[in-house]
Amino acid sequence: MHELGVTFHIMDHLEKVAAENKVTHVRKVTLELGEVSTVIESYLQSCWTWAAKKRPLFDKSELVVETLPAITYCENCEKTYPTVANGKICPYCGSEHTYLLQGNEFNIKEIEVE
């Protein structure tokens, strides 16, 4: 489960930012999570809840996850389509000359502090 490592990475980063800004408590963290990022939201939420209890800065903090849909671009017909439903093959022209435009992201979008 790499979600625990991801959680620690986020918290470590936010602890540095909080120290630089003299923040004593984080109320809420909003993440953008790509649909095909390989991070499982339910596991991430469980890891966050567990880890937040162990770090005073995050005690009782909320983790909000916004899912970004995976979108693929076809170089042949220049159209975009939903990646999860169609995979690498373009549903419009059948081409395999495609690439992921979005959906693999993992971004800290917003932090609410006291």
Side-chain angles (χ1 to χ4, degrees):
M1 176 188 320
H2 72 285
E3 285 78 5
L4 187 56
V6 169
T7 299
F8 288 154
H9 179 74
I10 294 166
M11 288 182 168
D12 290 346
H13 177 72
L14 292 179
E15 283 175 342
K16 289 176 189 171
V17 172
E20 291 169 3
N21 293 282
K22 298 178 178 58
V23 170
T24 59
H25 189 259
V26 173
R27 287 186 193 158
K28 181 169 77 171
V29 176
T30 303
L31 299 177
E32 294 176 322
L33 182 62
E35 190 175 26
V36 294
S37 68
T38 73
V39 175
I40 299 170
E41 181 183 349
S42 62
Y43 293 175
L44 184 65
Q45 289 284 1
S46 294
C47 291
W48 182 272
T49 300
W50 177 82
K53 292 176 186 173
K54 307 207 177 308
R55 297 188 183 201
L57 182 66
F58 301 100
D59 188 41
K60 297 184 176 114
S61 66
E62 177 186 6
L63 177 66
V64 175
V65 177
E66 297 177 356
T67 302
L68 297 175
I71 304 294
T72 296
Y73 176 78
C74 177
E75 294 178 315
N76 285 5
C77 70
E78 301 180 348
K79 292 184 180 178
T80 61
Y81 62 89
T83 306
V84 173
N86 298 286
K88 186 170 172 48
I89 312 270
C90 177
Y92 301 107
C93 71
S95 172
E96 292 184 20
H97 299 279
T98 61
Y99 61 88
L100 190 65
L101 283 178
Q102 78 172 38
N104 198 28
E105 300 88 349
F106 188 89
N107 303 312
I108 299 171
K109 179 181 177 183
E110 186 174 76
I111 306 160
E112 185 179 310
V113 301
E114 288 184 6

